[in-house]
Every structure is written in C-alpha cells, then in structure tokens.
Amino acid sequence: MSVIELDRVETAPVREVQAPKLSFFRTLRFRLMLSVALVHAVLMGAFVWSAVNQQSAAIRAELRNRAHSLITLMAVASTNALLAEDLGSLAEVTARVKRQPDVINGAILDVRGDVLASTDAQQVGHYLRIPPRGSAVGGLHRLELEEQVRVAGQRVGTVLLGMSTRHLQSELAATRDEGLLFILLALVVGSVAAWGVSLLITRNLYTLMTAVRRIGRGNLGVRVDLQPNDEVGLLGGAFNAMAESLQRISEQAQSEHQRRTDAERLACVGELSASIAHEIRNPLSAVINSVKLLDRPDLPASDRAQSIAILNTESLRLQRILNDFLDFARIRESRLVTGDLSALIEEVAALIRQHPHAGTVKVDIQCDVRPCLVRHDPDQLRQVIWNLMLNGVQAMPEGGQLQVRVRCRARTARVSVTDTGCGIPVQLLDKIVRPFVTGRKQGTGLGLSIAQRILMQHGTTLSILSHVNVGTEMSFDLEVA
Ligand SMILES: Nc1ncnc2c1ncn2[C@@H]1O[C@H](COP(=O)(O)OP(=O)(O)OP(=O)(O)O)[C@@H](O)[C@H]1O
Ligand SMILES: [Mg+2]
C-alpha cells in the first residue's frame, strides 16, 4: 500500500492548511485497542469470577461432607464407650480424630454437657456449652458440627467436631490469584492483538490521509494503491477517481488559461500597435507635408519659416511620444525600500507648484502621521504621484484645489489625490488606465497606465472616483514598513 505519483501537476500555489495534531489518546488506533482490551478484560473477569465461585462451592461441599462423615464415625465409635463410661476408649476416639487433616478439635460430652474426652486435654472434666442440635457453625476459619449419640431413641452423649477452613481459604485465594493473573495476561495479549488489528485497519487510512494532504498542496498526480477488499479500499478507489478528474479539470483549466493569455497578449499587441500608429500618424503626416513644401524652390519665405516651425514642433512631439512609450515599455522591476511617504509627496508638490499648468491651482498636502514609513521604490513612486498630480492640475485649467492626503493605518497607508477639476466622462472611465487612451489634445495617454503598472509591482492598484464637473479622486494603498 503506497502513494504513487503520476506526472507531477502543480497548480497555482496553494496555501497549505496545517493539519491538526492528534494526540495518541484520540486516535482511532488507541480507541480500537482500548475497546478490544476492555471487552477482553470484562469477559475474562466474568469467566474467572464464575470459575472461582464454582470451585469455592465445590471445596466447601467437600469439606462439609468430610466433616459430616467424620462426626458420624465419632458418634458410632463412641456409643458403646459412652454406655460403658469407658473414658479410655473415648480418649482413643478423640486421639484418632485429632490425626485427621484440618481437625481443630473434637470432644465427647455426656448428657449433662461435661467433657469426657477431647483433643484438647484441658477441656476434659469441664462443662462445655452444646450448640443447638445438628448445627454446623461456619466461622471465617472454622466449621463446627455437633452430633447427638442416641441409643434406642435416648440421648447418651454428644460429640463435637471443629474443622479448619484455612486450607479451603488458601485454595480459594490461590484460584483467585491465578484468575487475576489470567485477566492481566488476557489484557496484555488482547491489547497487543488489538494494536495489531488497529494497525492493519488504520494503515490504509493513513495512506489515504497522506495522499489527501499532497492533493491539498496542489500535487494532483497523487494516487493510492489500495486493494478494494474492504471499505477503506473502496474509499481509495473513489479517491483515485476524484484525483483523476481533478487533474483533468486542472489541465483543461491550465490550457484554457494559456489560450486566453496568448489571445489577450496578441490583442494587446494589436491594440498597442494601432494606438502607436494612430499617435504618430498626425505628426508624421505634418512632417512629410512640411518636407514636401520645403522641397519647392518657389516657396515664399514666410511659408518656409512656417513649415520649419511645424517640422520643429511635430518632430519634437514624435520624440516625446517615442520617449513616453519607451518609458512605458521599459518599466523596470521595483526595488522596495523603507522610506517616508510624506517627504516624497512634499518633494513632488514643490515641483508641481512650479509647473506651467499649475497656474492658480492651490496645492494642499495632508499627512496624519509624519514620517509615514512605507515600503516603496522612491523613483517609481515619485513618478506615480507626479503623473496623478499633473493630471489633476491639467484637469483644472481655470484653477481649483489639488489635495494630496496620506492616511497611515496599522498595516497600510492610503494615498489619495483629489482635484476639483472637470472630472472624467463615464465612457472614458473604464479604459482610462489603458495605454494611449487620452482625453487631452496634447496627451499621450500613458501617464495613468505607467502609474497602474508601477503600483501593481508594489502589490496594489489605482482606485478612481470621478464626477464630471465636480472633480476626481485617485487613490492607492501601500504597505506600512
Ligand atoms: N484628474 C483627472 N481629471 C480629469 N480627467 C483626468 C484626470 N486624470 C486623467 N484624466 C483623463 O484621463 C486621460 C488619461 O490620462 P493619462 O495620464 O493616462 O494620459 P494623459 O494625461 O492624457 O497623457 P500623458 O501620457 O501625458 O499623461 C487624460 O487624458 C484625461 O482625459
Ligand atoms: Mg497624464
């Protein structure tokens, strides 16, 4: 039983969920083992208890029978001696009784209760209380019996016999100890057997668990090799079928994604080429026309000067378009460092205030924490803020207010650039960050797309909120250092 890896198919990085750590006492293995061991112990306990009880009853019955036979023999053996008051013969009877195993005492009494002979010589001649007729008093360690000796229905004496149950007790204790040992042995053997069985059952489950974890980590090529001869084996088959279809779906999704990316890339290249062609067509036509005019020898001096001026501005425009496009195309990887955002904004604001378009625009900076330390690429972020502020002042040719606000929070700092300008028409809003989309005559339409690309490299994007003739707010978040 093992986990097989087919061709490794890694999907997008998957966040691994940490599997909860299971304590040994909560595992299926332990529970299975415990239940088997407990059942084993209870059954063995019941069996041993019943065996000890049966043996105890049998030993007791045997002792009682032996005692009864012995006292009957004593009574028979002492009848004639009692009639003849032959103390010597009576003493012989008690002496014989004393030699029997387990006998504690034996005594022969006359009708009055005086001891005529006894295994305990000190009792002879003394009165001994006779227990009720036919009684057998069983103390913890002794069994006492009494038998009347009768001749023609007349009581001529009484025999007493006391037997020790100590032997019986020790035999029972030995049986009980043996039983306990047996239970203990059964517990150990049962636990070991249960452990083996639980290992067999749960081994396949662990194989499945490992495979599920690998799938969870994104490796969809994992399969399990389990024999389908029990429920877990069938589950393994279902798992393989699931992994198979997951892998197929993932491969389809990947190829679909690749196809779409290629198509989007092609469309983007086409759109970009069309935009560049559109941007350079007008200035290029102006340049060509001017060159044609200048080629005419009869061109008046004033027209010649105008053509040269056109050549000058249009070639400069072409150069600017080319430079902007190169800036856009060559945005380098961001090199993030920790720095003060408020200082950087103040720096850009100082330059914007001197810009010819700034006119009567009032530039206001608000920063709730200074310094506001964020992770950023200073050169690139300077360009983003410049582009946003410049768009703001260009949207307010008649003057207005441009406000840059920085709100520093625990994890992020939010930068927002707000103006009271013309606003962005709804039809332009959706595509405003695409390259070469512009609403201004002199614009290239690259400012916002450059800003968006740089911000994406910082792990954030531009949010735009705008109302025509009211104003525009452009904002983004940065990670606080
Ligand atoms: N704050 C704003 N208020 C109003 N319109 C705006 C604002 N910001 C951008 N726009 C509109 O979005 C268009 C695209 O802006 P973007 O900065 O990308 O290019 P541009 O300013 O036209 O050219 P440039 O490449 O020189 O920046 C602008 O032409 C303008 O119409
Ligand atoms: Mg711009």
Side-chain angles (χ1 to χ4, degrees):
M1 261 122 294
S2 60
V3 175
I4 311 160
E5 281 192 24
L6 302 184
D7 353 320
R8 205 173 155 80
V9 178
E10 295 287 356
T11 55
V14 178
R15 192 168 60 89
E16 194 180 344
V17 181
Q18 201 64 46
K21 198 103 185 90
L22 206 61
S23 86
F24 171 70
F25 299 104
R26 293 182 66 191
T27 57
L28 214 57
R29 279 181 185 173
F30 174 73
R31 289 179 187 178
L32 214 65
M33 194 183 84
L34 188 70
S35 49
V36 172
L38 277 180
V39 168
H40 220 79
V42 168
L43 286 179
M44 283 311 295
F47 174 74
V48 167
W49 182 77
S50 139
V52 167
N53 266 0
Q54 274 180 19
Q55 195 182 358
S56 150
I59 295 174
R60 259 174 219 285
E62 190 205 310
L63 186 77
R64 219 171 271 274
N65 286 343
R66 207 150 56 82
H68 274 292
S69 310
L70 200 59
I71 200 164
T72 308
L73 267 175
M74 262 180 89
V76 171
S78 53
T79 307
N80 289 336
L82 273 169
L83 286 173
E85 291 189 5
D86 180 356
L87 294 180
S89 299
L90 292 175
E92 242 176 65
V93 172
T94 53
R96 252 184 284 136
V97 164
K98 196 177 179 178
R99 285 197 290 275
Q100 294 301 314
D102 297 332
V103 169
I104 299 173
N105 77 309
I108 303 167
L109 282 64
D110 63 13
V111 283
R112 288 184 306 275
D114 288 338
V115 177
L116 299 177
S118 172
T119 49
D120 179 1
Q122 288 181 348
Q123 286 181 341
V124 177
H126 290 93
Y127 171 78
L128 208 64
R129 196 184 65 77
I130 302 169
R133 195 172 185 285
S135 65
V137 186
L140 188 59
H141 294 304
R142 58 197 293 158
L143 175 74
E144 294 192 26
L145 285 100
E146 173 266 336
E147 178 91 32
Q148 291 188 354
V149 184
R150 287 177 176 274
V151 175
Q154 280 292 313
R155 186 158 71 92
V156 293
T158 306
V159 286
L160 300 177
L161 180 68
M163 291 194 68
S164 167
T165 59
R166 205 177 287 278
H167 176 63
L168 165 88
Q169 302 282 346
S170 63
E171 242 180 89
L172 283 179
T175 311
R176 195 190 52 227
D177 291 350
E178 228 170 74
L180 283 177
L181 203 73
F182 217 64
I183 293 176
L184 205 73
L185 203 71
L187 248 172
V188 172
V189 172
S191 302
V192 171
W195 177 249
V197 172
S198 66
L199 266 184
L200 271 180
I201 295 176
T202 54
R203 193 173 52 174
N204 289 349
L205 279 178
Y206 277 85
T207 307
L208 263 172
M209 196 162 70
T210 312
V212 168
R213 284 196 181 141
R214 287 198 194 172
I215 288 255
R217 283 197 291 265
N219 182 4
L220 301 181
V222 174
R223 299 290 179 273
V224 290
D225 177 23
L226 302 181
Q227 293 306 313
N229 44 18
D230 59 9
E231 286 89 336
V232 184
L234 291 178
L235 185 63
F239 169 85
N240 284 346
M242 181 202 71
E244 192 77 46
S245 87
L246 268 180
Q247 189 174 18
R248 211 175 33 248
I249 292 168
S250 161
E251 281 166 1
Q252 281 168 0
Q254 272 180 17
S255 65
E256 177 63 14
H257 179 256
Q258 189 61 44
R259 198 185 59 72
R260 274 199 203 160
T261 314
D262 290 348
E264 272 169 22
R265 202 171 289 150
L266 271 176
C268 203
V269 170
E271 202 180 315
L272 207 61
S273 321
S275 303
I276 297 170
H278 177 78
E279 281 299 309
I280 62 172
R281 191 166 46 200
N282 289 346
L284 204 59
S285 310
V287 169
I288 291 167
N289 288 339
S290 301
V291 170
K292 271 186 191 161
L293 279 175
L294 284 173
D295 206 26
R296 279 169 49 183
D298 55 334
L299 192 71
S302 60
D303 287 354
R304 183 174 293 272
Q306 195 185 357
S307 292
I308 289 173
I310 291 173
L311 254 182
N312 214 6
T313 33
E314 293 308 312
S315 53
L316 280 175
R317 192 169 156 202
L318 276 173
Q319 190 187 32
R320 189 169 60 81
I321 292 171
L322 205 67
N323 285 342
D324 283 354
F325 178 70
L326 284 178
D327 279 351
F328 172 75
R330 284 196 206 138
I331 293 175
R332 58 165 173 78
E333 283 292 304
S334 302
R335 287 187 285 267
L336 301 187
V337 293
T338 299
D340 181 14
L341 188 58
S342 49
L344 189 138
I345 290 171
E346 291 285 7
E347 201 182 297
V348 179
L351 292 173
I352 277 286
R353 284 189 188 103
Q354 291 161 15
H355 194 275
H357 289 168
T360 54
V361 172
K362 187 171 173 293
V363 181
D364 175 36
I365 310 294
Q366 279 184 19
C367 211
D368 54 6
V369 180
R370 281 173 196 258
C372 176
L373 298 178
V374 290
R375 298 284 298 155
H376 68 293
D377 183 313
D379 289 338
Q380 290 187 338
L381 200 65
R382 201 174 286 118
Q383 190 177 358
V384 171
I385 299 200
W386 169 264
N387 288 359
L388 298 185
M389 287 180 84
L390 186 59
N391 279 350
V393 293
Q394 284 169 342
M396 298 182 285
E398 311 297 324
Q401 186 168 10
L402 180 72
Q403 189 185 59
V404 185
R405 236 183 122 185
V406 179
R407 276 160 292 180
C408 233
R409 300 278 175 267
R411 287 167 174 269
T412 53
R414 169 151 279 234
V415 182
S416 54
V417 180
T418 315
D419 63 68
T420 54
C422 58
I424 305 168
V426 183
Q427 64 274 17
L428 206 63
L429 209 52
D430 282 350
K431 45 188 180 189
I432 204 89
V433 291
R434 287 197 211 155
F436 298 111
V437 173
T438 179
R440 290 190 305 111
K441 264 208 177 109
Q442 298 302 314
T444 317
L446 286 174
L448 287 182
S449 48
I450 290 174
Q452 179 74 320
R453 275 188 56 189
I454 291 176
L455 289 176
M456 281 168 83
Q457 288 186 179
H458 281 68
T460 182
T461 51
L462 198 59
S463 303
I464 306 171
L465 199 70
S466 184
H467 291 288
V468 174
N469 295 331
V470 175
T472 303
E473 182 192 84
M474 303 228 173
S475 51
F476 59 89
D477 291 328
L478 283 175
E479 187 196 340
V480 165

